[in-house]
Amino acid sequence: MSASLLPLRNLAIRVLSARTLPRRLYSSASSSVNPAEVSHFDALASTWWDPHGSSRLLHLMNPLRHDFIFSCLASSSASPKPNFEKQNLSSPSSENGLRYLDVGCGGGIFAESAARLPGTRSVTAIDPSEEVIAVAKSHALQDPIFQVEGRLDYLHTSIEDFVASSQITTTPSGKQPKTETHQYEVVTLFEVIEHISYPAPFLASCLPLVKPGGWLILSTIARTWTSWLTTKVAAEELLGVVPRGTHDWGKYIDEAELKVFFRGREGWGGAGGTRSMGCIYVPGLGWTMVGGGERWGNYFFGVRRDEGHE
């Protein structure tokens, strides 16, 4: 076989075997931290805040993250609403504001932007990479806004260790923190789950941290021919806009698989509390939302914890 055809042959083999991949959603592991993934992002830490560097696409995507979050919050009367009344950002945040938990925060692109919003009470951001957390903390020191106690806290920890420190206990309805202090109106997983080998226990660890009526919101990539061509061939190999080796196509998760996962979880996504939206990167123009795009490429996914489900 011609060497030029080998990549397509290998892709065909992966696609044929993809029907077994959803099993990862029901596999288990003691930790979501993959040393190889941590090492990869450690190497990119120094350029995280360079808008033209290795994280350029994340900088460009960030406004869409906020747009999707607010569309989720606005979709249900039961969802918490941000308070956008003018307030002094150099003083403690409004007690009525939203509390965010950003899991896999990296160098803090989203965390910082969320902490700046007038409707935000606090942002807690965690990541298992010591290098990128150091970059995030260093960058936050450049702005006095983030020196207000409780506005933006970075923690070098895994989700499993964070949950352990949040005093999670088992109740008749499932696992639950002992106090609301360890629950958040918005828990985000942006560009994270496609780097997790066993997403089911990872997602399960995040669920108790969402306050009833709050949202778990993520962005990831569907496992399709299109996504292989755009993220692996074009972005990593041809255009070089994403560092080579950043993505593993076999770890991508389809929107339908996430819906099946949450359909099996009591107290999640009731009364229309599930939303998704595709997005596409157009070189020279940036990211744009595309209805239906969640079925073939990058997409956002949100699911609300039912009100009153403790």
Side-chain angles (χ1 to χ4, degrees):
M1 178 179 288
S2 169
S4 63
L5 295 179
L6 282 175
L8 290 179
R9 175 182 178 274
N10 292 338
L11 173 61
I13 292 173
R14 288 171 179 157
V15 170
L16 289 173
S17 64
R19 67 192 64 181
T20 66
L21 288 172
R23 294 177 185 174
R24 293 192 309 115
L25 279 169
Y26 303 98
S27 300
S28 62
S30 58
S31 174
S32 60
V33 179
N34 182 329
E37 293 279 2
V38 172
S39 177
H40 176 81
F41 289 105
D42 279 350
L44 306 176
S46 63
T47 61
W48 210 279
W49 279 97
D50 180 356
H52 304 291
S54 60
S55 298
R56 176 172 176 267
L57 294 189
L58 299 182
H59 285 272
L60 293 174
M61 180 185 277
N62 205 46
L64 270 67
R65 294 169 168 174
H66 289 286
D67 289 345
F68 185 75
I69 288 173
F70 293 133
S71 73
C72 290
L73 296 176
S75 67
S76 172
S77 59
S79 296
K81 299 296 188 295
N83 176 11
F84 289 113
E85 293 182 2
K86 186 175 181 181
Q87 58 179 273
N88 182 2
L89 294 183
S90 63
S91 65
S93 303
S94 168
E95 290 298 311
N96 296 322
L98 299 179
R99 300 178 69 243
Y100 290 81
L101 172 64
D102 188 21
V103 180
C105 65
I109 295 171
F110 172 76
E112 277 202 13
S113 62
R116 292 180 188 278
L117 296 176
T120 297
R121 177 180 174 184
S122 67
V123 176
T124 300
I126 69 173
D127 199 282
S129 167
E130 187 173 8
E131 293 288 337
V132 297
I133 283 292
V135 167
K137 289 181 176 180
S138 176
H139 192 271
L141 289 175
Q142 300 176 30
D143 194 328
I145 289 176
F146 303 131
Q147 309 318 306
V148 178
E149 184 178 358
R151 178 171 292 281
L152 176 60
D153 291 320
Y154 286 114
L155 300 174
H156 169 225
T157 185
S158 66
I159 185 62
E160 292 83 9
D161 288 342
F162 184 77
V163 167
S165 69
S166 299
Q167 303 180 55
I168 301 294
T169 60
T170 300
T171 68
S173 60
K175 293 184 177 180
Q176 187 80 5
K178 288 184 177 179
T179 69
E180 287 192 0
T181 303
H182 299 106
Q183 288 187 310
Y184 304 82
E185 284 82 14
V186 180
V187 175
T188 57
L189 314 170
F190 289 129
E191 310 304 310
V192 171
I193 199 169
E194 67 270 23
H195 300 287
I196 304 296
S197 297
Y198 299 98
F202 173 77
L203 286 172
S205 294
C206 296
L207 300 187
L209 301 171
V210 182
K211 189 176 181 178
W215 286 79
L216 176 73
I217 296 176
L218 61 87
S219 58
T220 189
I221 311 171
R223 193 177 59 260
T224 63
W225 289 79
T226 305
S227 67
W228 180 79
L229 289 171
T230 56
T231 65
K232 295 299 295 180
V233 177
E236 292 191 20
E237 301 295 335
L238 299 180
L239 300 177
V241 293
V242 175
R244 184 175 295 177
T246 295
H247 295 115
D248 179 345
W249 182 84
K251 289 184 177 180
Y252 293 178
I253 295 180
D254 293 338
E255 179 217 20
E257 294 166 359
L258 286 174
K259 285 185 174 180
V260 169
F261 175 83
F262 282 101
R263 199 173 296 140
R265 298 273 167 170
E266 183 181 357
W268 287 88
T274 302
R275 295 177 64 86
S276 57
M277 176 61 71
C279 58
I280 185 172
Y281 174 73
V282 181
L285 297 177
W287 290 94
T288 185
M289 296 286 199
V290 178
E294 61 273 16
R295 293 189 291 272
W296 47 266
N298 289 76
Y299 66 96
F300 290 96
F301 181 89
V303 58
R304 182 171 57 85
R305 186 172 188 176
D306 296 348
E307 189 74 33
H309 187 83
E310 300 297 337

